[in-house]
C-alpha cells in the first residue's frame, strides 16, 4: 500500500530528526532557525502569535497544507524522488520539533497543540504522498501499457484521492488556526482529536460508497 509506504518514509525522517537533535542540539537550531529554537529554550510555545490573527492564520495554514500535499503528489513525476524527499524532510522537521520540545519539558504542550489537527492533517499528507508514489509507479513501471497512457491512467486515479483530502485539510486548517493554539483545556483538545479521528475513519471508509 502506497499510503503506508508514505507513512513509513515520514516516520523514518521523524526518527532521524529526533535522534539527531538529541545527539547534537546545534542541529535543531540550524533547521528550526534561531528565533524558534530560542523560544523553545525559554520553554514557550511559538504558537501564541496564531491566536491574535486566527482567520488569517487559518487561511495561511490551509494554503500551506494544500501546497505540501499537492506538491508531494506532483513530485511523483520525478520518478518518486521528489515525493520521497518531501515526506522525509517534513518528517525530519517534525522529529526535530518533538525532540526540542521534549528536551525543554514541553512534550505535553506540543501534543496538546498537534493532536486536534494532526489526526487529520498528517493522514491527508500521507495519502497525498502515497498518490505521488503511485504516479511514480505509472511513470517507471508502465507494464504492457504505453508509458503516456499508464501515466494518464494512474494520474486520474490519484486526482480522485487528492480531491478527497481537500475537505480534510480545510477542516484541519480551521482547527489549527482557531482551536489548537487556544487556551482550551488539554482534555477538551484530546477529546476533539479522538472525535476527528473517528470521523476521518468513517469518511475514508464510507465516502463515495452507496
Amino acid at each position: 500500500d502506497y499510503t503506508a509506504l508514505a507513512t513509513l518514509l515520514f516516520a523514518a525522517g521523524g526518527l532521524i530528526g529526533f535522534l539527531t537533535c538529541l545527539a547534537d542540539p546545534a542541529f535543531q537550531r540550524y533547521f528550526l532557525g534561531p528565533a524558534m529554537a530560542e523560544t523553545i529554550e525559554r520553554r514557550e510555545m511559538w504558537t501564541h502569535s496564531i491566536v491574535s490573527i486566527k482567520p488569517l492564520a487559518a487561511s495561511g495554514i490551509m494554503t500551506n497544507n494544500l501546497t505540501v500535499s499537492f506538491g508531494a503528489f506532483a513530485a511523483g513525476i520525478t520518478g518518486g524522488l521528489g515525493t520521497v524527499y518531501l515526506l522525509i524532510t517534513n518528517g525530519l522537521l517534525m522529529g526535530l520539533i518533538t525532540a526540542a520540545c521534549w528536551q525543554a519539558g514541553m512534550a505535553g504542550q506540543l501534543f496538546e497543540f498537534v493532536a486536534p489537527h494532526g489526526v487529520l492533517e498528517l493522514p491527508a499528507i500521507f495519502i497525498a504522498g502515497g498518490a505521488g508514489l503511485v504516479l511514480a509507479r505509472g511513470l517507471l513501471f508502465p507494464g504492457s501499457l504505453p508509458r503516456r497512457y499508464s501515466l494518464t491512467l494512474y494520474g486520474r486515479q490519484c486526482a480522485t484521492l487528492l480531491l478527497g483530502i481537500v475537505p480534510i485539510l480545510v477542516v484541519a486548517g480551521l482547527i489549527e488556526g482557531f482551536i489548537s493554539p487556544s487556551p482550551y483545556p488539554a482534555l477538551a483538545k484530546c477529546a476533539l482529536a479522538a472525535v476527528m479521528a473517528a470521523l476521518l475513519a468513517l469518511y475514508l471508509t464510507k465516502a463515495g460508497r452507496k
Side-chain angles (χ1 to χ4, degrees), residues 145-157:
L145 298 174
R147 194 176 304 275
R148 180 187 298 178
Y149 181 77
S150 173
L151 193 58
T152 302
L153 178 64
Y154 284 108
R156 286 177 178 171
Q157 294 175 357

Side-chain angles (χ1 to χ4, degrees), residues 139-179:
L139 176 67
L140 298 176
F141 307 105
S144 59
L145 298 174
R147 194 176 304 275
R148 180 187 298 178
Y149 181 77
S150 173
L151 193 58
T152 302
L153 178 64
Y154 284 108
R156 286 177 178 171
Q157 294 175 357
C158 294
T160 303
L161 287 176
L162 288 180
L163 289 175
I165 67 171
V166 168
I168 299 174
L169 291 173
V170 169
V171 175
L174 289 171
I175 293 174
E176 189 173 357
F178 287 89
I179 298 176

Side-chain angles (χ1 to χ4, degrees), residues 18 31 38 50 75 82 99 102 110-111 129 131 134 141 143-144 158 166 182 207:
F18 186 86
F31 271 88
E38 289 169 8
I50 298 177
W102 183 72
L110 178 65
F111 178 79
V134 171
F141 307 105
S144 59
C158 294
V166 168
S182 71

Side-chain angles (χ1 to χ4, degrees), residues 4-72:
L5 178 56
T7 304
L8 287 175
L9 289 169
F10 183 93
L15 182 61
I16 293 171
F18 186 86
L19 296 177
T20 305
C21 182
L22 294 183
D24 183 10
F27 189 67
Q28 68 165 273
R29 183 173 288 270
Y30 174 77
F31 271 88
L32 301 182
M36 187 172 181
E38 289 169 8
T39 300
I40 294 175
E41 288 170 2
R42 293 195 302 269
R43 291 176 170 76
E44 296 177 4
M45 288 294 288
W46 61 93
T47 56
H48 300 308
S49 60
I50 298 177
V51 178
S52 60
I53 52 169
K54 288 180 181 178
L56 182 61
S59 176
I61 290 165
M62 281 184 234
T63 301
N64 179 70
N65 290 343
L66 288 168
T67 300
V68 170
S69 298
F70 278 79

